[in-house]
Amino acid sequence: MPSNAVLEAKKAKVEKLTEIIKNSVSGVLVDYKGITVEEDTKLRKELREAGVNYFVEKNTMLLRAFKECGIEGFEESLNGTTALAVSNDDQTAPARILGKFAEKAGDDKFNLKAGYVEGEVYDQAGVVAL
């Protein structure tokens, strides 16, 4: 049984993630396994320059935060390695930048999983279309 301190830390983490998601206009979930540190560094730099917040988080934490925001439909996507890219002002920036990166990296290294724009959930094909 987890201690109260651990549970409180997890609750605080979910609250922080919920706040990030609520304040964003769009977000994209990706499976990043297989990319090198150099590739990841370049990607993070490009995302940062576009005003996109990119981070890795546990799937259970993300799922709880999405539910707190009233965004449903990510249960299938939240497995394996997951990173989330969110933008507070540009609806297409995360999908555009990550989609371009995924094309270069190849299917076995970096995959778009799903995303959302203004609370509407998109599957992988929908994110690619964005």
Side-chain angles (χ1 to χ4, degrees):
M1 189 81 172
S3 70
N4 282 341
V6 171
L7 290 175
E8 289 302 316
K10 287 182 179 184
K11 284 181 185 176
K13 184 68 164 178
V14 170
E15 285 177 18
K16 182 179 176 188
L17 288 170
T18 301
E19 195 65 30
I20 289 169
I21 293 167
K22 279 184 178 176
N23 291 332
S24 68
V25 294
S26 65
V28 175
L29 295 167
V30 296
D31 180 351
Y32 61 89
K33 71 175 176 289
I35 65 171
T36 66
V37 172
E38 182 181 347
E39 290 169 327
D40 187 55
T41 302
K42 286 181 184 177
L43 175 62
R44 286 176 184 269
K45 182 178 185 282
E46 186 176 353
L47 288 165
R48 197 170 36 254
E49 289 172 353
V52 177
N53 187 7
Y54 178 80
F55 55 92
V56 174
E57 188 52 69
K58 289 183 176 184
N59 293 322
T60 54
M61 298 290 185
L62 286 171
L63 187 59
R64 287 178 190 210
F66 281 124
K67 285 187 179 187
E68 288 285 323
C69 294
I71 301 174
E72 302 282 335
F74 288 127
E75 294 80 9
E76 298 279 321
S77 302
L78 288 171
N79 54 52
T81 55
T82 304
L84 175 63
V86 295
S87 176
N88 293 345
D89 50 11
D90 187 340
Q91 293 181 340
T92 62
R96 185 178 64 246
I97 294 167
L98 295 173
K100 186 174 69 172
F101 184 82
E103 280 180 23
K104 289 180 191 175
D107 288 340
D108 57 335
K109 289 177 76 175
F110 192 88
N111 294 304
L112 303 177
K113 289 183 170 187
Y116 66 93
V117 176
E118 299 287 343
E120 185 176 338
V121 175
Y122 292 89
D123 62 5
Q124 183 181 18
V127 174
V128 170
L130 285 174

